[in-house]
């Protein structure tokens, strides 16, 4: 695994230095630890990073509407980013003359095809899912096939020693051609293919929040009940601290949330700002300067008992202890405390060994 990780680091460095496509010179090269596990069960290939999503966050399919749809589809069929490696046919955001998202040209897709080939070989996922026609065409540049999206969607095709499953892009424009309900059925098919390969038990899709999101929302509610109003920054950091403390004490995760390393410390992917109202019913947000603040109304301080029932008594105690010890700290001191935890120290050691920032890398082990 260490050798594979070093090969991936070398690939990332070459991608970061790439200047093959002039109109993408100023775009982020979205390949790195945030793509997921190099031992993933399934590899998702999109078209290109979105201007408001991965081009900004450098976390593929996160932060914009396409990312929200993608994460929702994964959740509803019981998959998570722990299972997946997520990338794009073109690793930079192509923009038109107005600065909006544009479809990558054939030459731009061809320029990135060697990088896609290396990712496929390094990860070796037994199931490969293309999201949209551009991604499907890109795979044909790696190993030839004649599949078309319209005729091949929701089918598993033998390809390069793997199963290739074409799916539609989760963006809003693609929903016109294939509704969210149809795409949900596609993702259920994908999930079953992944589970057949891993021996996992079949499960039905659910429109409810995933178990991971339920627990993240419940844990956030406990922290808000204990601490009062918190900054969005502090909410993420306190959640992470509670995860670490619970893992140390009980040898198990407090939630099933996916935490990644960002420049200002750990960030819980499930707790994106756009999802706060769904995850923490009745919460309020306001902006003070540059800071997003989150709180519960007085009526909600007494009404969240049923939500937090998904957490064990031990988990709730851990959250209360973390809120008491760290909830009052200013941001700088809270960040220092976070960076002194064992998972963050280990990640920093890996960064030093690899001589590379592992931004968006998973910080905690899978649940």
């Amino acid at each position: 695994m260490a050798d594979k990780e070093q090969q991936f680091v070398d690939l990332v460095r070459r991608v970061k230095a790439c200047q093959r496509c002039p109109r993408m010179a100023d775009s982020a090269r979205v390949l790195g630890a945030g793509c997921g596990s190099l031992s993933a069960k399934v590899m998702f290939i999109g078209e290109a990073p979105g201007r408001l999503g991965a081009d900004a966050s450098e976390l593929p399919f996160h932060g914009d509407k396409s990312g929200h749809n993608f994460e929702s589809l994964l959740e509803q069929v019981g998959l998570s980013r722990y299972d997946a490696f997520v990338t794009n046919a073109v690793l930079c955001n192509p923009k038109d003359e107005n600065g909006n998202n544009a479809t990558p040209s054939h030459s731009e897709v061809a320029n990135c095809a060697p990088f896609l080939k290396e990712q496929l070989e390094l990860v070796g996922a037994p199931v490969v899912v293309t999201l949209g026609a551009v991604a499907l065409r890109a795979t044909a540049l790696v190993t030839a096939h004649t599949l078309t999206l319209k005729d091949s969607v929701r089918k598993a095709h033998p390809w390069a020693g793997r199963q290739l499953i074409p799916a539609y892009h989760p963006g809003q424009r693609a929903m016109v051609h294939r509704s969210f309900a149809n795409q949900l059925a596609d993702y259920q098919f994908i999930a079953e293919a992944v589970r057949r390969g891993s021996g996992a038990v079949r499960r039905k899709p659910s429109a409810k929040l995933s178990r991971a999101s339920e627990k993240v929302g419940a844990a956030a509610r406990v922290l808000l009940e204990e601490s009062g109003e918190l900054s969005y920054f502090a909410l993420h950091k306190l959640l992470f601290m509670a995860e670490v403390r619970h893992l140390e004490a009980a040898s198990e995760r407090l939630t099933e949330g996916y935490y990644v390393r960002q420049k200002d410390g750990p960030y819980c992917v499930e707790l994106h700002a756009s999802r706060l109202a769904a995850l923490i019913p009745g919460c309020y947000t306001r902006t003070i300067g540059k800071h997003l603040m989150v709180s519960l109304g007085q009526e909600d301080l007494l009404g969240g008992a049923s939500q937090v029932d998904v957490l064990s008594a031990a988990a709730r105690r851990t959250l209360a202890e973390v809120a008491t010890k760290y909830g009052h700290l200013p941001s700088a001191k809270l960040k220092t405390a976070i960076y002194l935890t064992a998972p963050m120290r280990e990640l920093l050691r890996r960064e030093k060994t690899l001589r590379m920032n592992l931004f968006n890398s998973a910080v905690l082990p899978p649940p």
Side-chain angles (χ1 to χ4, degrees), residues 303-317:
S306 60
Q307 183 182 10
V308 302
D309 283 347
V310 299
L311 300 171
S312 67
R316 294 197 292 271
R317 283 195 301 273

Side-chain angles (χ1 to χ4, degrees), residues 60 69 76 91 95 102 132 207 256 294 307 367:
N69 289 341
Q76 292 187 44
L91 296 172
K95 297 182 178 70
E256 298 170 17
V294 188
Q307 183 182 10

Side-chain angles (χ1 to χ4, degrees), residues 4 37-44 83-85 119-129 159-164 194:
K4 180 186 281 194
S37 170
L38 297 180
S39 301
K41 304 170 188 174
V42 55
M43 183 172 179
F44 289 92
D83 304 310
F85 185 93
Q119 292 172 76
L120 285 159
E121 291 172 349
L122 270 174
V123 177
V127 178
V128 175
V129 181
W159 174 77
R162 307 172 176 85
Q163 292 185 74
L164 178 61
V194 172

Side-chain angles (χ1 to χ4, degrees), residues 21-48:
C21 304
R23 72 164 168 166
M24 301 185 199
D26 296 327
S27 296
R29 278 75 172 135
V30 184
L31 182 69
C35 292
S37 170
L38 297 180
S39 301
K41 304 170 188 174
V42 55
M43 183 172 179
F44 289 92
I45 305 170
E47 179 178 303

Side-chain angles (χ1 to χ4, degrees), residues 23 58 65 84 151 156 244 265 270 274 287 319 339 349 358:
R23 72 164 168 166
E58 298 196 29
K65 188 60 179 176
D151 296 331
V244 172
E270 285 80 6
S274 65
T287 302
L319 287 159
Y339 271 83
R349 279 195 291 269
L358 296 176

Side-chain angles (χ1 to χ4, degrees), residues 100 118 134 199:
N100 298 317
E118 287 191 63
V134 171

Side-chain angles (χ1 to χ4, degrees), residues 67-86:
H68 176 77
N69 289 341
F70 175 72
E71 290 171 339
S72 179
L73 288 162
L74 286 184
E75 277 196 7
Q76 292 187 44
V77 300
L79 293 176
S80 82
R81 286 184 182 265
Y82 283 113
D83 304 310
F85 185 93
V86 187

